[in-house]
Amino acid sequence: MKTNLASSTMIGLLAGALCLLAPGNASAWWNKEWTIRKKIDIDTSTGGAPIADPIGTTAFLIRLHDGNFRFTEAKEDGSDIRFVAADDKTLLAHHIEKYDALLNEAFVWVKILDLKPGAKTTLWLYYGNAGSKATRVDDAKGTYDVNTVLVYHFADNNAPAHDSTTYNNNAQNSGVPVLGSLIGPGVRFDGTNPITIPNSESLAWADATAITWSAWVKPIANQANAIIFRRDTFTIGANNGIPFVDVNRNRAQGAAPMPPNSWHHIAVTAAGSTITLYIDGQNQATLSASLPVSTAALLVGGDTSGGTGFSGEIDEVNISKVARPAGFIKIAAMSQGPDKAPKLLTFGNDDVKTSWFSGGYVGIILSSLTVDGWLVICVLVVMSAISWVVMVNKAKYLKTTIAGNKQFFEDWKHVAADLSFLDEHDTRKVLTLGGRIDNREAQIVKFSSVYRIYKIGAEEIRHRLEVEGAAESHLLSARSIQAIRAMLDGALVKETQKLNNLMVLLTIAISGGPFLGLLGTVIGVMITFAAIAAQGDVNVNAIAPGIAAALAATVAGLVVAIPALFGYNYLLSRVRDATNDMHIFIDEFVTKIAEYYGGRNGHRDRASDPMTLEMIA
């Protein structure tokens, strides 16, 4: 009954210790190989950047800089960046337009599924994985929905603009690249060299086709009727800085001009017979007209038929084959622009994944340890290291010894009945059991304790034959056989000492470890209560860390003793096996010697000697 009670108590204590040691992490972690995550909130409610109109699925721009992202903790190319939905399970498609770890700047586009107006949407940014599995997983085509038919980031240097969507509507010619545009690289126009986009099935306009066209523009001066985009009779431009949309000379334009050298978001939607012009996300004008049916090439930044080309910079040209809702256009203008993004997008603090030793309860315990506690733990660490070295080395030694004994017995059983090979003058014949042990087996047998005893016995037989002058008769007296037995027993003692060498260190760890730990605990508790008495105030928050730290010494003592106890018992059983092998061999070997050298070939007088018979018995 007492035993069962003690076992239950020990199990309860161990379970409690495990609960205390387990690090606290209230929320799930998407992948344990990523060590840092950051909460990102997109707030379209009145508390952030209010948007009441529907939005839907959108590619959202995330700007990273040294104010919201630790570039030193991420990979140099940003390949360990991942975006996860609010459930901390669903991986979001994204692609990196630009990542500069030297300038601490990055532009990343993330696909947000069904973004809601008037609400807060949360996602997680994960990084901090230096492992080889954290490779770049950019998915530009997966970032945009099927209704997006063309996206130009102009990140192609001097090459023609590459379409990031699945439709591959790449430009026919390149523009003048600008490295430091609004969102990474952009393109500059001088009014004479527009970018031509060849027609394709996804870009063709049929009767009453719906589209959304958008881009960021930065005019360098107010021009009259500057063409930003044209296709047949459909034109988007700026007249003296005022954006307009024109269909067959039927024009609608905004109210105010765009100041030179400033960025503005221009978007146009066409649905049925209504064309709407948006400037910086706001509805500026509506035109009652339909898109012309056209399969002509699309021109960005000018007109090849003599119109006034646009002078300035353009970035992020985007074309969809549907009329996007007003909320979609507004959030694009706010999130991509330089001024309103901070109201829409908020970054939380970095959550760093902590292990037992870098944070959590163990971190509190370690930080509360006193000098005497650390001293006891350091002594226990040394004891643990010594015991582990002893266990590992002893296990290797016993493994080779027992394997050698097994091999020797395999060879010995074939020659035990006839010891005539011991009479050979060739020492090698004697050591190999008359040639029974080949070179391969010799590499195994050389570690055998039984084999070493056999060699001592064989050498002593030769010595005794020479001393007694019995080299020809091959007969030994009973006293000589008794002396050989004594030599074998001496070798047994030495081999047993080898097997048990340093085992005492394990018994010291088993018995001394818990007592040293207990000593550290008692001293720690004494110091904790002495500190409370000095302060004159009993505070659980002040007591608990000290008591927990004091108990850490006892835990350390048990951590030293328990493995040593298991290892000692295992090694002791192996030592016993090896010792039994030696006892069995010595008894058998002496019996065979007495039979073979005590009397044979008609020498009945020696064989009938009482001492010889006693040795045989």
Side-chain angles (χ1 to χ4, degrees):
M1 184 68 179
K2 291 182 178 179
T3 303
N4 293 337
L5 180 59
S7 301
S8 301
T9 304
M10 181 60 70
I11 292 171
L13 288 173
L14 290 174
L18 289 174
C19 291
L20 287 173
L21 289 174
N25 194 355
S27 58
W29 200 272
W30 165 69
N31 190 310
K32 64 181 180 180
E33 295 182 7
W34 272 256
T35 60
I36 304 174
R37 72 175 182 180
K38 181 185 289 290
K39 186 180 180 181
I40 300 176
D41 288 326
I42 303 172
D43 192 356
T44 58
S45 67
T46 54
I51 298 176
D53 299 305
I55 301 171
T57 300
T58 182
F60 199 90
L61 174 65
I62 304 291
R63 274 187 171 89
L64 300 178
H65 50 79
D66 51 10
N68 60 23
F69 186 78
R70 291 192 284 174
F71 284 84
T72 55
E73 300 297 327
K75 284 192 171 182
E76 291 184 356
D77 59 351
S79 56
D80 59 334
I81 288 177
R82 301 290 187 273
F83 290 91
V84 183
D87 61 3
D88 226 346
K89 296 179 181 179
T90 306
L91 202 62
L92 302 177
H94 78 278
H95 67 280
I96 299 174
E97 179 179 340
K98 177 185 177 182
Y99 189 92
D100 193 330
L102 184 62
L103 297 178
N104 291 347
E105 181 183 57
F107 300 96
V108 188
W109 296 89
V110 183
K111 185 176 186 178
I112 308 297
L113 301 172
D114 195 18
L115 188 60
K116 301 294 185 182
K120 184 182 288 186
T121 300
T122 298
L123 63 148
W124 294 95
L125 164 59
Y126 279 83
Y127 64 105
N129 183 355
S132 58
K133 294 182 180 179
T135 57
R136 196 152 178 169
V137 292
D138 287 36
D139 184 11
K141 299 183 185 304
T143 306
Y144 299 97
D145 64 11
V146 294
N147 292 319
T148 307
V149 295
L150 183 146
V151 173
Y152 287 168
H153 294 312
F154 299 109
D156 311 283
N157 293 323
N158 292 315
H162 174 76
D163 180 17
S164 296
T165 72
T166 59
Y167 296 95
N168 294 319
N169 288 311
N170 301 323
Q172 181 174 301
N173 60 300
S174 61
V176 179
V178 179
L179 295 180
S181 193
L182 177 65
I183 304 171
V187 65
R188 179 181 293 114
F189 295 91
D190 59 5
T192 59
N193 296 306
I195 291 177
T196 301
I197 305 170
N199 180 57
S200 68
E201 182 179 353
S202 60
L203 293 175
W205 293 351
D207 187 30
T209 292
I211 70 158
T212 299
W213 182 98
S214 67
W216 283 93
V217 299
K218 177 184 175 183
I220 61 174
N222 290 332
Q223 300 172 266
N225 295 314
I227 298 173
I228 298 173
F229 174 81
R230 169 166 285 182
R231 186 178 202 183
D232 281 341
T233 59
F234 177 81
T235 304
I236 300 172
N239 183 24
N240 293 317
I242 301 175
F244 68 83
V245 57
D246 188 298
V247 180
N248 291 321
R249 300 184 181 278
N250 185 12
R251 177 175 295 191
Q253 65 181 29
M258 298 181 293
N261 297 311
S262 63
W263 284 101
H264 294 273
H265 185 262
I266 298 178
V268 174
T269 63
S273 60
T274 301
I275 296 176
T276 306
L277 172 65
Y278 295 87
I279 301 174
D280 294 328
Q282 302 299 321
N283 187 332
Q284 292 290 308
T286 301
L287 182 65
S288 295
S290 300
L291 288 179
V293 176
S294 178
T295 57
L298 297 79
L299 302 173
V300 178
D303 183 13
T304 57
S305 60
T308 303
F310 173 76
S311 293
E313 295 181 29
I314 294 180
D315 198 4
E316 298 302 328
V317 174
N318 190 307
I319 301 177
S320 300
K321 60 181 180 180
V322 294
R324 299 292 188 180
F328 182 98
I329 295 171
K330 186 173 184 180
I331 202 168
M334 296 180 71
S335 63
Q336 298 170 24
D339 302 325
K340 297 180 180 180
K343 296 181 181 179
L344 177 66
L345 197 65
T346 57
F347 292 84
N349 295 324
D350 284 344
D351 292 340
V352 180
K353 187 171 181 61
T354 57
S355 64
W356 282 2
F357 297 99
S358 64
Y361 297 131
V362 172
I364 296 173
I365 293 172
L366 295 180
S367 64
S368 302
L369 278 171
T370 56
V371 175
D372 56 282
W374 278 115
L375 181 62
V376 170
I377 289 176
C378 287
V379 173
L380 290 170
V381 167
V382 173
M383 290 179 63
S384 178
I386 292 173
S387 63
W388 275 104
V389 170
V390 170
M391 287 189 290
V392 171
N393 290 338
K394 186 61 66 178
K396 291 180 179 178
Y397 180 79
L398 288 169
K399 180 181 179 181
T400 55
T401 298
I402 293 174
N405 290 347
K406 181 180 179 181
Q407 182 62 55
F408 177 80
F409 278 124
E410 286 290 325
D411 294 320
W412 170 256
K413 69 181 181 181
H414 295 287
V415 299
D418 182 11
L419 300 184
S420 59
F421 63 89
L422 292 173
D423 300 333
E424 296 284 347
H425 295 289
D426 186 357
T427 304
R428 189 174 180 279
K429 285 280 188 179
V430 176
L431 296 180
T432 60
L433 302 182
R436 188 76 193 180
I437 301 175
D438 57 26
N439 291 333
R440 183 191 65 81
E441 293 174 352
Q443 298 301 315
I444 302 174
V445 169
K446 69 179 181 180
F447 298 107
S448 169
S449 59
V450 175
Y451 180 64
R452 289 191 289 269
I453 291 175
Y454 160 76
K455 288 198 297 183
I456 291 173
E459 291 172 2
E460 187 64 18
I461 290 172
R462 283 199 171 202
H463 174 68
R464 290 292 168 178
L465 289 173
E466 291 175 0
V467 169
E468 294 188 7
E472 297 296 331
S473 62
H474 301 293
L475 294 174
L476 291 174
S477 65
R479 296 185 184 277
S480 293
I481 295 175
Q482 194 172 21
I484 293 171
R485 175 62 187 249
M487 291 292 294
L488 296 177
D489 288 340
L492 170 66
V493 172
K494 291 181 179 179
E495 290 296 333
T496 304
Q497 288 175 341
K498 288 182 182 179
L499 293 174
N500 288 289
N501 186 35
L502 299 179
M503 291 285 282
V504 67
L505 295 178
L506 296 183
T507 62
I508 292 173
I510 294 168
S511 58
F515 281 105
L516 275 176
L518 182 60
L519 174 64
T521 296
V522 171
I523 294 174
V525 171
M526 290 171 59
I527 292 174
T528 300
F529 282 107
I532 294 171
Q535 293 176 359
D537 182 22
V538 178
N539 187 342
V540 174
N541 293 329
I543 297 173
I547 299 297
L551 289 171
T554 298
V555 173
L558 293 174
V559 168
V560 173
I562 292 172
L565 177 62
F566 292 159
Y568 177 80
N569 287 325
Y570 169 75
L571 294 174
L572 195 62
S573 66
R574 303 287 281 175
V575 168
R576 192 177 294 113
D577 292 341
T579 304
N580 290 338
D581 287 342
M582 292 186 290
H583 279 292
I584 292 171
F585 173 72
I586 289 173
D587 290 341
E588 181 181 355
F589 193 29
V590 171
T591 301
K592 296 297 183 182
I593 291 172
E595 290 177 351
Y596 187 77
Y597 289 102
R600 62 171 189 162
N601 299 330
H603 296 279
R604 300 294 180 184
D605 55 332
R606 185 65 60 86
S608 60
D609 184 83
M611 291 191 68
T612 303
L613 293 174
E614 182 182 352
M615 291 303 300
I616 295 174

